[in-house]
Amino acid sequence: MIPDAVANTSPPYLGRGLKLVHKTLRNPIEAIPAEAYVEPLSYWRVLQHEVALVTDPDLIRQVLVSDAQATDKGESVRRPLGAALGDGLLTAEGADWRWQRRAIAPIFRAAGVDRFVPAMLAAAERAHGRLAAAAGPADVNHEMMRTTFDIIAETMLSGRGSIDIDRAGASVTAYLHQTHWANLSSLLGLPDWVPLPGRRRALDAARYLRSEIEGLVAARRAAGDAGGGDLVDLLLAAEDPTTGQRMTDIQITDNLTTFMTAGHETTALALAWTLDLLARHPEIGRRARDEIATVTEGHAVTPDHLPRLAYVRQVLEEAMRLYPPAAMIVRRLVEPMTLGGRTFASGTRILIPVFAVHRHAALWEAPHVFDPDRFSPEAAAARPRYAYLPFGAGPRVCIGSSFAMLEAVAILAVLLRDLRFVSVEAAPPEPRLEITLRPSRPLLLRVERSRLH
Ligand code: HEM
């Protein structure tokens, strides 16, 4: 049963609104009100808009799954991301989204992504080399960004054509950095032309990234050498199974930019937070290393080992509970919707603060404690399905979740096999939301060799 929702509509609206604006600019995680961690639903008004914050698993299912047709992503997704991602899978709506999803889905099915494992393991070995050679504490967030970018570039191009990995990765980061201003402008209902700080730099970064990718797609189309099985080939060949529709070069560019942006930072952050948590919980790190030693029997990690690393996977899942890389899911109602006994009008913003759902007092025991045993098959089966949603849910669930889990397990297995990570700072960095949940300062860890079993 759903208890009463909490309304935050008492005056003075202005003071409350300004406080929210200030907190949203500083860090949207701080703008999540305390009641979101204990209540199923709360709502308040920001200027002319109503905003509902949904944390109850049944209500989440309603918004994202059963009544998904009554929602869209709206301005709050298009405004921060549209300039870079165009009308690719993450930003498109309606029929334009539906056919692209049908065309792209086969590429990312669990069986389909296995083909990318050798590239993932090779990039993980390169990361291992860099970390093992680090003279002082390493910025593991930076290293993981480099590694997942290496993987996405390699799986996109399979070595045929080149891209400046450091510059392209930095462009994605520069682009995402300004998104909180765009978020705020959409929350306040400001028109699109209002100038925002950092916007010009972000647009330059988006232009650079898109022009590089456009060049690669055009070169591949001209060479007519499709068939190598990388992401560019797969998108050139992708077609809607119902209509046979194929993608234009612009649509392919939109989607490759989307995979680079949506796929690389998220996975890198999941890994960086995991390494920090393991450094702070050495006994859990030891258990993960023991599993890797047993499964690999002291040999290099191979593709067959990955499905057997059940505990390593649990460690990742628990890290993404505490630090979900996509910490806020946003929808707009395009029809009225009744949630928890209250009807919200069309136009209402619905926020699903995944960060708060994953630390909700009614859903998790000792919510702030890092405990991978919560993801043992028995414990996971006993929980409501929508209490845990690092990859979202419903028709717009992350299309890259199998790819992400595979690459993250591969990287952890290669690194933890004979490396140990040690904290050099007393407290973990504060998480800061800039579309993705990033550490507010460099995530420095000392890297030590650990004995191979
Ligand atoms: C740990 C890593 C990842 C996390 C936590 C993550 C999270 C998410 C979430 C929460 C959504 C749903 C957003 C919403 O409903 O508004 C999403 C969508 C999406 N993700 Fe991921 N993602 C990850 C990795 C990837 C990878 C590796 C790729 C591709 C290579 C990818 C591509 C996408 C795309 C294209 C969508 C849009 C799907 C659609 O709307 O049909 N993601 N992701």
Side-chain angles (χ1 to χ4, degrees):
M1 217 206 45
I2 297 159
D4 288 343
V6 175
N8 260 330
T9 48
S10 59
Y13 296 136
L14 188 61
R16 208 182 273 284
L18 285 178
K19 218 162 145 187
L20 187 81
V21 167
H22 177 69
K23 283 186 176 174
T24 305
L25 266 183
R26 259 179 55 88
N27 180 2
I29 285 293
E30 288 174 17
I32 301 175
E35 58 260 30
Y37 295 84
V38 288
E39 301 289 345
L41 167 70
S42 55
Y43 49 91
W44 76 100
R45 193 169 273 283
V46 181
L47 303 180
Q48 72 271 41
H49 300 289
E50 195 149 47
V51 178
L53 214 62
V54 179
T55 48
D56 175 81
D58 286 340
L59 299 182
I60 291 174
R61 187 189 48 221
Q62 188 183 341
V63 172
L64 293 183
V65 189
S66 56
D67 291 358
Q69 79 297 337
T71 69
D72 69 8
K73 292 190 172 181
E75 275 295 282
S76 42
V77 172
R78 196 196 59 74
R79 195 171 292 187
L81 295 176
L85 309 189
D87 292 315
L89 194 58
L90 188 83
T91 31
E93 306 268 19
D96 189 29
W97 165 76
R98 217 165 297 125
W99 87 265
Q100 292 191 66
R101 180 94 192 186
R102 283 197 299 262
I104 295 173
I107 300 175
F108 284 101
R109 291 225 172 89
V113 293
D114 279 350
R115 77 180 84 201
F116 300 127
V117 175
M120 292 170 177
L121 287 172
E125 292 291 354
R126 288 192 283 276
H128 179 283
R130 288 193 303 270
L131 285 164
D139 179 346
V140 293
N141 187 30
H142 178 75
E143 277 302 336
M144 293 301 99
M145 292 280 172
R146 223 171 136 183
T147 310
T148 57
F149 203 85
D150 192 1
I151 290 176
I152 197 76
E154 192 53 37
T155 48
M156 258 172 68
L157 304 172
S158 54
R160 295 179 296 155
S162 67
I163 187 159
D164 178 343
I165 290 194
D166 286 337
R167 183 158 177 212
S171 299
V172 173
T173 305
Y175 185 78
L176 292 179
H177 192 65
Q178 55 77 45
T179 51
H180 58 294
W181 284 100
N183 273 338
L184 187 72
S185 84
S186 115
L187 190 71
L188 297 177
L190 299 180
D192 218 357
W193 51 260
V194 172
L196 301 172
R199 184 78 179 151
R200 178 153 341 135
R201 234 187 110 218
L203 290 179
D204 285 348
R207 251 192 305 274
Y208 167 74
L209 203 61
R210 289 189 62 91
S211 71
E212 286 288 291
I213 295 175
E214 266 164 34
L216 293 166
V217 174
R220 190 71 67 85
R221 181 91 80 184
D225 68 344
D230 60 29
L231 282 174
V232 178
D233 288 338
L234 293 169
L235 283 179
L236 280 166
E239 63 178 24
D240 180 345
T242 28
T243 63
Q245 186 174 354
R246 294 246 184 144
M247 288 188 194
T248 62
D249 284 7
I250 293 181
Q251 285 164 330
I252 294 177
T253 302
D254 286 349
N255 279 303
L256 290 173
T257 318
T258 297
F259 300 155
M260 274 199 166
T261 310
H264 120 86
E265 280 234 356
T266 43
T267 317
L269 288 165
L271 283 160
W273 289 114
T274 300
L275 292 175
D276 189 61
L277 284 161
L278 289 177
R280 291 173 195 286
H281 298 83
E283 68 299 345
I284 295 175
R286 205 167 306 123
R287 201 169 142 194
R289 278 201 305 279
D290 284 348
E291 179 183 72
I292 296 164
T294 310
V295 168
T296 60
E297 295 174 356
H299 299 293
V301 181
T302 64
D304 320 340
H305 294 141
L306 304 185
R308 290 155 57 204
L309 295 170
Y311 188 69
V312 172
R313 200 181 163 93
Q314 283 178 223
V315 167
L316 260 168
E317 288 173 324
E318 172 66 345
M320 287 197 291
R321 181 185 70 82
L322 286 171
Y323 299 106
M328 184 78 79
I329 294 178
V330 185
R331 292 291 185 271
R332 175 182 65 174
L333 292 187
V334 293
E335 293 168 23
M337 188 185 285
T338 304
L339 289 167
R342 185 175 193 280
T343 301
F344 292 91
S346 178
T348 301
R349 313 289 164 93
I350 308 277
L351 304 183
I352 300 175
V354 178
F355 186 85
V357 176
H358 287 183
R359 293 171 184 242
H360 199 284
L363 301 173
W364 305 93
E365 221 180 288
H368 302 290
V369 173
F370 178 56
D371 175 11
D373 283 330
R374 297 179 202 271
F375 288 90
S376 70
E378 310 73 51
R383 239 187 337 264
R385 157 68 184 89
Y386 301 101
Y388 181 66
L389 55 160
F391 294 109
R396 304 219 57 162
V397 69
C398 178
I399 204 163
S401 61
S402 300
F403 184 104
M405 288 307 286
L406 204 56
E407 75 174 306
V409 170
I411 292 169
L412 280 182
V414 169
L415 296 185
L416 298 179
R417 197 172 76 90
D418 66 350
L419 296 180
R420 188 172 43 215
F421 292 83
V422 182
S423 304
V424 292
E425 312 220 39
E430 290 295 317
R432 185 182 156 86
L433 187 59
E434 292 177 2
I435 299 268
T436 50
L437 194 69
R438 306 169 62 85
S440 53
R441 58 172 156 78
L443 218 165
L444 297 177
L445 298 179
R446 206 170 63 241
V447 186
E448 292 178 355
R449 284 265 176 193
S450 75
R451 192 172 45 83
L452 273 176
H453 296 249

